[in-house]
Amino acid sequence: MTPRPPVPALSPEAGPGPAGTLTDLPCPVAVTPAAAVARRPVTGSVHSTDMSIGVDGPGSRFVAFLAGCPLSCLYCHNPDTRYLRNGTRMSADDLVADIARCATFLRAAGGGVTLSGGEPLLQPVFAGEVLHRCRRELGLHTALDTSGFLGHRASDALLADTDLVLLDIKSWDPETYTRVTGRDLRPTLEFARRLERLGRELWVRFVLVPGLTDDPDNIDGVARFAASLSNVSRVDVLPFHRLGAAKWEAMGIPFPLADTPSPTAEQVTAAREIFIARGLTAI
């Protein structure tokens, strides 16, 4: 294993910095906030892990679902990851060791590791450490699945260790976005622009919900924005489903969209065509 390069000092929550500062260093010498502070175990709250193919990034992926999320999405299919207490405390060492057992297979399958959730950026130090070690020590492709709402918590060093960002843009209309998530759209758009400046590859994800996000003008707004970014290589149009309803029920919470149907194949195709018309690759 190739030794890590010397680690310059960096504050635990370091964010974007002006050109020429540590946060502007090229990828090969990027460091994580955790590694820069001290050589001590870094821990996080991990809800679960799984393997996926082609959904959470290219190839076969080891997906770690981190616990905790600042959003309250009406169609959330992982409501059991909403709070940090929903996870198990785990060290970065142990999670990376689990990933290392699959590393040879993941590399051969053209895949890698994806941090999802929940919202990984609720735990930026832990997420940064895992991404850093997976990319630098294990030689794996790394991906971050995020809403972008907490994008300000991701240091440039963390993003330098992220090969791909899967960014959920849940609506273009601000009122609809707030209705869907309980939060403001603006931080997500600002994060997307920052990713473009940093040259990080971006897949945009859009969930098509009949009667909620399916207005053609709303879809075209997301498409126009995505097309304005030079780093968007793919758009995933994801049809709404009720597969997570059982989790809501198990938590004793009524599923907000219990009466909402899944979109038809024709509706999904029409939404994809809107993105394609803007020159985007839509899946």
Side-chain angles (χ1 to χ4, degrees):
M1 183 180 298
T2 303
R4 290 195 208 179
V7 179
L10 182 66
S11 67
E13 300 297 337
T21 65
L22 178 61
T23 56
D24 197 50
L25 289 174
C27 293
V29 293
V31 297
T32 66
V37 172
R39 295 293 181 178
R40 64 175 185 273
V42 178
T43 63
S45 181
V46 179
H47 177 270
S48 57
T49 62
D50 199 0
M51 297 290 291
S52 73
I53 300 176
V55 178
D56 300 288
S60 298
R61 316 291 299 182
F62 182 107
V63 184
F65 297 91
L66 306 193
C69 183
L71 273 56
S72 302
C73 296
L74 297 179
Y75 52 70
C76 181
H77 61 278
N78 287 326
D80 50 339
T81 67
R82 183 167 295 177
Y83 303 106
L84 287 169
R85 64 175 179 269
N86 294 142
T88 299
R89 206 71 192 169
M90 190 175 193
S91 70
D93 287 342
D94 287 343
L95 180 55
V96 172
D98 286 348
I99 297 167
R101 296 185 184 98
C102 311
T104 300
F105 163 74
L106 294 172
R107 286 192 293 267
V113 61
T114 299
L115 297 188
S116 186
E119 172 52 69
L121 294 181
L122 195 65
Q123 305 181 63
V125 173
F126 180 71
E129 183 74 5
V130 173
L131 290 168
H132 178 82
R133 295 181 60 182
C134 285
R135 191 167 188 260
R136 310 295 173 166
E137 297 179 5
L138 302 182
L140 291 174
H141 180 277
T142 55
L144 179 70
D145 183 4
T146 176
S147 71
F149 182 73
L150 297 179
H152 64 283
R153 291 194 175 191
S155 68
D156 285 4
L158 181 154
L159 295 175
D161 284 321
T162 304
D163 293 303
L164 171 68
V165 176
L166 311 173
L167 184 65
D168 297 316
I169 303 182
K170 302 169 190 294
S171 173
W172 180 250
D173 175 66
E175 291 184 6
T176 301
Y177 189 93
T178 299
R179 179 183 171 195
V180 170
T181 69
R183 296 290 188 173
D184 181 22
L185 170 62
R186 181 174 46 82
T188 295
L189 304 184
E190 291 175 348
F191 185 53
R193 289 295 188 194
R194 180 178 162 214
L195 292 171
E196 181 187 35
R197 291 194 300 271
L198 293 173
R200 298 291 85 189
E201 184 183 3
L202 183 61
W203 287 8
V204 170
R205 290 178 145 185
F206 175 77
V207 180
L208 184 66
V209 186
L212 188 60
T213 66
D214 61 340
D215 184 281
D217 288 339
N218 184 51
I219 300 171
D220 191 52
V222 178
R224 288 197 316 273
F225 178 73
S228 74
L229 301 170
S230 61
N231 57 330
V232 175
S233 60
R234 167 172 159 171
V235 176
D236 288 335
V237 177
L238 306 175
F240 162 75
H241 59 72
R242 293 189 294 268
L243 298 180
K247 295 181 181 180
W248 288 78
E249 294 171 4
M251 296 170 64
I253 306 173
F255 183 48
L257 301 182
D259 297 326
T260 301
S262 296
T264 65
E266 291 76 16
Q267 288 173 314
V268 175
T269 297
R272 287 179 180 145
E273 289 297 330
I274 292 174
F275 287 98
I276 292 170
R278 292 288 179 181
L280 297 159
T281 298
I283 306 297

